[in-house]
Amino acid sequence: MEIHNTTEDIVIAEVNAICDSLQAKGEMAGICTCSQCRQDAICYVLNRAVPRYMVSHRGAARILEADPQNQADISTLVYEGIRRVSHNQRPYFEHGKDAGKEAALDEPVFNIPTIMGRVFSGLNFSPMSNINVELLTNGTMVEMKDPNWQNPYIIIPNTGGTFTFWPKPLPAKEADERQFFEYTVKINADGMAELNHGFTVPVMSGKINSGFSLNRTFKLPDFYLFPPGEEKDQRLLNE
Ligand SMILES: [Zn+2]
C-alpha cells in the first residue's frame, strides 16, 4: 500500500511552472529560480498547506481527505513562498548556478520518508493545534532534511491537527540495503497527558532523494490526547 500526498504534486508543479515562466520571460524581479530556492519555496508551501492523502492500492485510488477550498489557498501560498524565499536566500550557496537542475549525488543513502500524523482531543475528537510534537530517536531529537522542516513541530490551526517531519537522509554503505529505523513521537499539550508512540520505519538505501515527487509518506495512526489519569489505549481508538 502506498500513501501519497496529492498536495505535493500540485505544489511542485505550480512552483516549477512559475519559476520556469519567470526564467523564460527574463522578468526575474529579484526572484531566484535555482533548485535550492525552488525546494525552499516548495517546503514553505507544504508546511502551510493542508495535505491531501490518497491511498493507491493495485491501481485503485481513494481520496481519504478532501478540502476543495484549500486549492485556492495553495496558489496564494506559492506566490508568497517564492517571494519570501528569494528575500531570505540561503547564505553560502551559489544561487542560480544550476538554474533548476538537481545536483546528482551518487553516494547511497537511506532516504527516510516524510512522517505524518494527526492529533485529536480525546475529549471532543476535534483536531488539536498550537501543540508541540517532537520526533526522537534513541532519546535525541531527529535532525530534519533542511531548515524548512521543524523539529519540534508546532501544529498550526486549520490543518486538521496534522504534523509532518522529513528526517535528513542517513548514509548507507551500499544501495538496496534494507534497514529499520526506530523513532518515537512525543506529543505535549496543556492539560493533557504526554503521549509517546514508538514505531519502526523500514527503508531501502538508494541515491539521494532530492525530488519531492519521489518521496514516500509514512502515515502514523491518529493520536488522541486525554487529561492525565484518563489515558486510553491508542490502539483501541484506531480500530
Ligand atoms: Zn536561489
Side-chain angles (χ1 to χ4, degrees):
M1 189 183 77
E2 281 287 317
I3 291 174
H4 187 70
N5 176 7
T6 56
T7 301
E8 283 183 12
D9 302 330
I10 297 164
V11 171
I12 293 160
E14 278 216 37
V15 168
N16 282 326
I18 291 168
C19 289
D20 289 347
S21 104
L22 286 171
Q23 259 177 251
K25 287 186 209 152
E27 293 167 5
M28 306 303 284
I31 302 289
C32 180
T33 58
C34 80
S35 66
Q36 182 65 64
C37 286
R38 288 178 190 220
Q39 286 202 28
D40 286 347
I42 290 165
C43 282
Y44 178 93
V45 180
L46 287 178
N47 277 329
R48 287 160 181 81
V50 177
R52 297 181 68 194
Y53 288 93
M54 204 181 75
V55 177
S56 19
H57 183 59
R58 289 194 197 117
R62 190 159 71 99
I63 302 284
L64 287 183
E65 200 179 305
D67 181 2
Q69 187 121 36
N70 184 40
Q71 299 314 305
D73 299 338
I74 288 178
S75 297
T76 312
L77 277 173
V78 165
Y79 279 101
E80 184 183 309
I82 290 172
R83 272 198 309 271
R84 286 245 194 156
V85 164
S86 281
H87 289 141
N88 299 282
Q89 286 187 9
R90 282 161 191 266
Y92 319 117
F93 181 82
E94 288 186 73
H95 290 270
K97 200 186 169 200
D98 56 354
K101 285 189 197 69
E102 302 295 348
L105 293 175
D106 286 330
E107 275 134 62
V109 291
F110 290 105
N111 289 302
I112 316 294
T114 50
I115 295 166
M116 177 268 173
R118 297 188 300 175
V119 187
F120 297 89
S121 162
L123 299 176
N124 58 12
F125 302 100
S126 62
M128 297 199 72
S129 60
N130 301 314
I131 64 169
N132 198 68
V133 184
E134 292 175 11
L135 182 68
L136 303 164
T137 188
N138 297 318
T140 58
M141 296 285 266
V142 174
E143 201 181 332
M144 295 291 101
K145 190 178 161 70
D146 64 50
N148 292 292
W149 296 81
Q150 301 143 31
N151 187 17
Y153 187 95
I154 311 290
I155 299 179
I156 56 171
N158 306 315
T159 53
T162 304
F163 63 85
T164 318
F165 294 105
W166 196 356
K168 189 180 174 175
L170 299 169
K173 285 194 192 78
E174 55 193 352
D176 301 322
E177 186 187 342
R178 188 178 175 81
Q179 198 167 308
F180 293 89
F181 293 89
E182 309 271 340
Y183 294 107
T184 300
V185 281
K186 186 167 126 184
I187 307 172
N188 276 291
D190 285 345
M192 297 293 195
E194 180 180 288
L195 190 146
N196 285 278
H197 173 86
F199 58 100
T200 303
V201 182
V203 185
M204 291 288 284
S205 62
K207 284 187 182 167
I208 192 123
N209 179 2
S210 47
F212 278 85
S213 52
L214 298 171
N215 192 49
R216 294 179 301 125
T217 298
F218 189 89
K219 169 97 168 61
L220 293 167
D222 290 341
F223 297 115
Y224 297 88
L225 301 186
F226 292 92
E230 294 178 33
E231 296 99 315
K232 307 284 192 299
D233 188 328
Q234 296 288 324
R235 283 167 301 177
L236 300 176
L237 291 162
N238 275 288
E239 275 166 13

